[in-house]
Amino acid sequence: MNFQTTMEGWNRFWYSDENPKALPLLRIAWGIALVQKFTGFYGLFRFPNPRVRFPRHEFKTEPGYPIDSDGFSPSYPFLGWIPQPSLAIFQAMETALLILSVFFLLGLAFRITGPLTALFMGYSFLASPFFYHHHTFQMMIVTAILGFSPCVGRYSLDAIFFNKNDGLAQPTVTPRRLIQVLVTLIYFFTSISKWNEPWLSGQMIEVFQKSGSLYGPFTPWILDHFSFQALGLITVGTESFLVFGLWVPRLRIPAILAGIGLHIGIDMMMAVGSFSYQMIALYVAFLFDRKPSTRPLPSSQLISPS
């Protein structure tokens, strides 16, 4: 394989024609995950008493809010210029994000609501390290990718009422490829971090159980039927399998089913926020791969081998 062939394969991977159904359906799946996040509609460990709020507020009172009345809070490096929101502003932003999430899901006025959702998500995450959660970091990235992508050409109110096509008759696969790579990196690093004695022996699961991190009506049944080691091996094995299984056509559906089982199982036993449902939503990014287009790519999208 020569260098020119490698570059052609690279360009096909990142810039080939997109399946017109892919981004709209991925927007819908991600919009559902956003609504879950801002209503608190997740956590099977709480079954049968879900806690749904319109909206869900992460911080409810001033004493529990991590920024003091003078607006002081440690900032991320080089981001000290970002204003620190008061509790009232932060709660108003959560309300706005719930409304924007519904618009995002429905694909309504998306050229405005898509980027606005991404910007609000970015601000709510980057304003202070006290707002950090691993699942909100992922949510910020994916919302930014989809919020600025042409994903309302189908299955949206914009398409129904305004015949919106985002100005692109044929979008490229780039936004979905970015999300696919992100999902792969998440599973790669989470799996290699667990290839150690505590996880492979089940000691970590036992630590979770003894610390009270495992709860809910399903946990006793699961622990009665699966040993700590079995649960550890299932977790490590499934995450490792997803690293490559999602990319192999013959393994894709088994990998997705295994991933759904893993994340539903986690949500039945532990409080991990909306992370499990975010990952399930992102599996949609792997469902619409098609044979590379033979249409010549625009010269502006090609990487020259010279």
Side-chain angles (χ1 to χ4, degrees):
M1 180 181 294
N2 58 36
F3 185 69
Q4 182 172 357
T5 302
T6 301
M7 288 298 96
E8 288 175 353
W10 173 266
N11 289 322
R12 294 295 175 193
F13 178 82
W14 286 107
Y15 306 119
S16 58
D17 289 346
E18 177 62 288
N19 184 317
K21 297 179 180 179
L23 285 177
L25 288 174
L26 183 54
R27 186 206 78 244
I28 291 172
W30 191 248
I32 292 172
L34 285 171
V35 172
Q36 286 182 288
K37 160 71 175 174
F38 295 110
T39 60
F41 189 50
Y42 50 79
L44 289 174
F45 61 87
R46 291 193 288 254
F47 183 84
N49 300 307
R51 298 177 184 175
V52 184
R53 302 290 185 269
F54 298 96
R56 169 189 172 271
H57 290 304
E58 184 172 357
F59 305 103
K60 298 179 176 62
T61 61
E62 289 286 355
Y65 189 59
I67 297 177
D68 66 26
S69 57
D70 296 326
F72 172 77
S73 173
S75 61
Y76 291 100
F78 309 110
L79 295 179
W81 53 271
I82 297 179
Q84 304 296 308
S86 65
L87 176 61
I89 291 176
F90 192 85
Q91 290 182 337
M93 191 162 53
E94 289 175 312
T95 302
L97 276 166
L98 174 58
I99 296 170
L100 287 169
S101 297
V102 175
F103 278 59
F104 194 103
L105 169 62
L106 299 176
L108 179 60
F110 197 78
R111 287 186 177 180
I112 297 173
T113 58
L116 200 58
T117 307
L119 291 173
F120 271 49
M121 278 297 308
Y123 177 66
S124 66
F125 178 82
L126 295 173
S128 170
F130 283 124
F131 301 150
Y132 176 84
H133 297 287
H134 67 281
H135 64 281
T136 54
F137 184 32
Q138 171 183 272
M139 184 161 276
M140 176 186 71
I141 296 172
V142 175
T143 306
I145 294 172
L146 289 176
F148 290 91
S149 70
C151 58
V152 290
R154 296 189 181 192
Y155 315 130
S156 69
L157 293 182
D158 278 358
I160 293 173
F161 295 119
F162 307 110
N163 194 28
K164 291 289 186 184
N165 228 346
D166 274 1
L168 290 177
Q170 182 59 63
T172 66
V173 76
T174 305
R176 191 159 58 88
R177 285 283 185 254
L178 290 170
I179 291 172
Q180 289 175 326
V181 170
L182 174 66
V183 171
T184 302
L185 289 174
I186 290 171
Y187 282 126
F188 175 75
F189 286 108
T190 56
S191 62
I192 63 172
S193 70
K194 293 182 175 69
W195 278 96
N196 51 54
E197 175 62 21
W199 274 100
L200 297 177
S201 67
Q203 292 177 15
M204 284 302 301
I205 307 298
E206 186 175 8
V207 168
F208 291 147
Q209 193 268 337
K210 289 182 177 179
S211 66
S213 298
L214 303 182
Y215 33 74
F218 303 104
T219 297
W221 184 92
I222 294 173
L223 294 180
D224 284 342
H225 290 78
F226 296 90
S227 67
F228 292 132
Q229 184 174 32
L231 292 173
L233 291 173
I234 289 171
T235 301
V236 177
T238 303
E239 290 179 348
S240 301
F241 176 47
L242 287 164
V243 173
F244 63 89
L246 290 170
W247 292 96
V248 181
R250 291 185 177 181
L251 298 178
R252 186 167 293 138
I253 296 303
I256 289 174
L257 293 176
I260 291 173
L262 172 68
H263 289 295
I264 292 296
I266 292 172
D267 195 56
M268 291 168 65
M269 300 177 68
M270 300 183 71
V272 292
S274 60
F275 177 71
S276 289
Y277 299 99
Q278 291 179 40
M279 297 307 296
I280 292 172
L282 293 181
Y283 293 156
V284 175
F286 292 89
L287 292 177
F288 294 92
D289 281 337
R290 66 185 192 183
K291 294 180 179 180
S293 171
T294 57
R295 178 177 67 86
L297 294 172
S299 58
S300 62
Q301 293 180 341
L302 293 175
I303 299 176
S304 174
S306 60

